[in-house]
């Protein structure tokens, strides 16, 4: 992928369209070429002239325009020109048209003709975002490899605060920049664990934790989009499988251990983002515990530590653990780095409500052996995943270059 990108910014008709000029300015400031395509209603929110002046290129507005005398249709030449298409804002209508594969305007038609990285930055009210139909379209798009940037919780045009606000321009630009790494993990196999485990108490109850799987699934989506063969071992979560990912569902820590042990020898990178139970009931009650019998006495036993075992079963893989901490982040992470024989521990402070369990965003610090720690500031989990893979790729390339010069 070239250093500078050709970005086609699709602007659809919502109030957040007023941020499109800022996205254009920022992309151009970073050295990228930008063209804009507006839907019919976008012009009510931002003028084509503004975008034309900033991009120094006419705005695409009509479908099926013929390019000057070339006979080539503009949606084809625009799709071939672009390395990335980013639709920001993506309204309900535009999301639906993209999910359904409609070709009823220039932007939708160009997206159909386009084969590169497609990003969408939805913007709408909380009620619209939560509608089953919209969520189904988003799931469909993500399932096809479309990268979702936001939306985020914040002040909305209605005056309320809630989910549905378009991601900020710098986050959208960072996501566009992130697409340059597509393909850099080609030839590598990445094994990722995600989500919680459920440890049965009786046929209807279990011990678990608050992991939603979002961090692990973001890592898997990122790895697959960068060309890795991606194996995702997931505990019980309600998330769609990212495009191009091979997913294996498990329930308990023992099942996760067994599956990881089977797959890890194939992997060059193993990332344990799952919140695996440390303890489970010694045995599960065969029938449902009755309230009238009073609280049961529970005896717990430890589970096998999967990450620690990886040193034996995948000695050559880059072994990355996550650490969910509520205090003493650094000392706990360093203890786990040594104690679990990992190469990296990625620590997050789960006592905060804006990061960690269940949140859209994360902030992590990477602790590595004999190297300074690196903090990845608060941003969407998918972008955190991107930064982590940038660092992993650097480390693996460094190791491989060292092996090549020493003939190893
Ligand atoms: O899923 P989300 O809602 O997006 O939340 C993300 C997250 C907070 C779950 C994630 O970022 C995270 O921190 N995952 C690790 C949670 C955890 O179990 O941390 P720990 O400090 O208890 O364990 C340290 C490491 O050992 C982890 O890599 C864990 O997968 C691994 N482990 C733990 C127990 C066990 N029996 N076997 C293991 O391999």
């Amino acid at each position: 992928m070239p250093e500078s990108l050709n970005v086609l910014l699709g602007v659809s008709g919502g109030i957040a369209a007023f941020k499109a000029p800022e996205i254009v300015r920022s992309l151009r400031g970073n050295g990228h070429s930008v063209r804009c395509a507006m839907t019919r209603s976008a012009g009510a929110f931002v003028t084509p002239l503004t975008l034309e002046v900033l991009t120094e290129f006419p705005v695409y507005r009509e479908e099926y325009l013929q390019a000057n005398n070339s006979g080539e249709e503009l949606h084809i030449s625009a799709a071939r020109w672009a390395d990335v298409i980013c639709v920001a804002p993506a309204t309900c209508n535009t999301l639906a048209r993209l999910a359904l594969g409609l070709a009823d305007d220039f932007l939708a038609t160009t997206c159909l003709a386009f084969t590169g990285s497609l990003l969408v930055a939805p913007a709408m009210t909380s009620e619209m975002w939560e509608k089953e139909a919209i969520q189904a379209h988003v799931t469909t798009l993500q399932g096809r490899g479309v990268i979702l940037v936001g939306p985020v919780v914040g002040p909305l045009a209605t005056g309320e605060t809630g989910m549905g606000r378009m991601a900020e321009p710098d986050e959208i630009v960072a996501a566009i920049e992130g697409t340059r790494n597509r393909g850099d993990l080609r030839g590598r196999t990445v094994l990722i664990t995600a989500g919680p485990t459920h440890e049965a108490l009786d046929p209807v109850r279990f011990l678990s934790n608050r992991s939603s799987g979002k961090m692990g699934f973001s890592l898997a989506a990122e790895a697959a989009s960068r060309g890795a063969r991606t194996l995702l071992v997931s505990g019980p979560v309600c998330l769609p499988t990212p495009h191009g990912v091979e997913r294996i569902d498990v329930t308990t820590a023992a099942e996760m251990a067994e599956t990881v042990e089977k797959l890890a020898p194939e992997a060059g990178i193993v990332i344990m983002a799952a919140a695996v139970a440390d303890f489970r009931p010694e045995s599960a009650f065969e029938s449902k515990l009755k309230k009238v019998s009073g609280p049961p006495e529970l005896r717990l036993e430890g589970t096998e530590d999967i990450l620690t075992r990886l040193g034996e079963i995948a000695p050559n893989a880059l072994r990355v653990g996550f650490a969910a901490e509520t205090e003493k982040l650094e000392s706990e992470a360093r203890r786990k780095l040594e104690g679990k024989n990992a190469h990296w521990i990625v620590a997050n402070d789960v006592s905060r409500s804006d990061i960690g369990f269940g949140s859209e965003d994360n902030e992590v610090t990477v602790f590595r052996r004999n190297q300074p720690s690196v903090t990845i500031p608060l941003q969407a989990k998918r972008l955190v995943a991107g930064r982590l893979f940038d660092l992993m790729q650097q480390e693996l390339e460094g190791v491989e270059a060292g092996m090549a010069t020493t003939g190893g």
Side-chain angles (χ1 to χ4, degrees), residues 92-114:
C92 290
N93 192 40
T94 295
L95 283 177
R97 291 186 302 124
L98 294 178
L100 294 172
L102 299 187
D104 58 347
D105 76 351
F106 180 87
L107 178 60
T109 313
T110 306
C111 287
L112 280 176
F114 178 64

Side-chain angles (χ1 to χ4, degrees), residues 1-7 27-28 30-34 81-84 176-177 180:
M1 185 62 75
E3 270 303 293
S4 84
L5 297 167
N6 289 343
V7 182
L27 285 168
R28 293 214 64 194
N30 292 357
H32 305 299
S33 301
V34 187
W81 171 84
D83 297 311
V84 180
I176 293 170
E177 301 268 0
R180 273 189 301 200

Side-chain angles (χ1 to χ4, degrees), residues 211-213 215 272-274 304 306-307 322 336 340 348 358 381:
S211 172
S212 63
M215 190 65 243
M272 294 288 306
E304 178 185 18
I306 309 169
L307 181 56
F322 268 70
K336 287 175 186 171
K340 294 184 183 241
N348 38 202
K381 284 181 175 168

Side-chain angles (χ1 to χ4, degrees), residues 227-241:
R229 176 178 175 229
T230 307
L231 311 171
L232 174 64
V233 181
S234 176
V237 296
C238 303
L239 294 174
T241 309

